[in-house]
Amino acid sequence: MTWKFFEVRNGDKKAQVLLDHRFAGEPPKEALPNIGWFGVWCRESPGGAYWAPQEAPALDALEEDLIALAEKHGNGWAVYLRRHATPGLREYYFYFGDGAELGKVAVALATKHPGYRIEFDSKPDPKWTGYASWLKEAPLG
């Protein structure tokens, strides 16, 4: 994977972004026409950071489980491409095919990590417009 780490700002709002830009040239649009979003809210106040430092190990373990569960329920048709963190919230984005069952991931993740607010949503994005917009904000040079 080819990952870029950077920050973006929109006025007073800041975000920390991890982006896999390996599909910048030719995304697998036909195979992965859907985009899935997972939101994970921190349990502790982040103060002036993206998350509380003492909560980082739990959030990192949750993230590892999210990726593993997406692989399991993706049935070979899910690709993790972006993490977008704002103070108190981590958002994860996957593109996936029709054979994937990513809706099961949020339920399994919430069971494994009780106390965290975890949400999932998905929609068709056959032209990968979400990914194209992320590439535009990324310093890929």
Side-chain angles (χ1 to χ4, degrees), residues 36-122:
W37 166 87
F38 291 89
V40 177
W41 280 260
C42 297
R43 290 189 293 200
E44 299 182 35
S45 172
Y50 293 107
W51 52 82
Q54 64 273 16
E55 191 176 7
L59 289 168
D60 292 344
L62 189 151
E63 182 174 310
E64 288 179 19
D65 289 337
L66 168 62
I67 294 166
L69 286 164
E71 286 179 10
K72 176 182 175 183
H73 295 290
N75 300 321
W77 295 99
V79 176
Y80 169 49
L81 293 172
R82 184 176 192 236
R83 183 181 81 188
H84 184 267
T86 53
L89 172 64
R90 285 187 179 186
E91 298 173 89
Y92 300 89
Y93 295 87
F94 291 76
Y95 273 88
F96 63 96
D98 294 331
E101 299 176 307
L102 291 190
K104 294 181 177 181
V105 173
V107 174
L109 197 61
T111 300
K112 192 164 186 172
H113 297 273
Y116 278 98
R117 177 180 164 195
I118 299 166
E119 294 184 10
F120 171 72
D121 196 12
S122 66

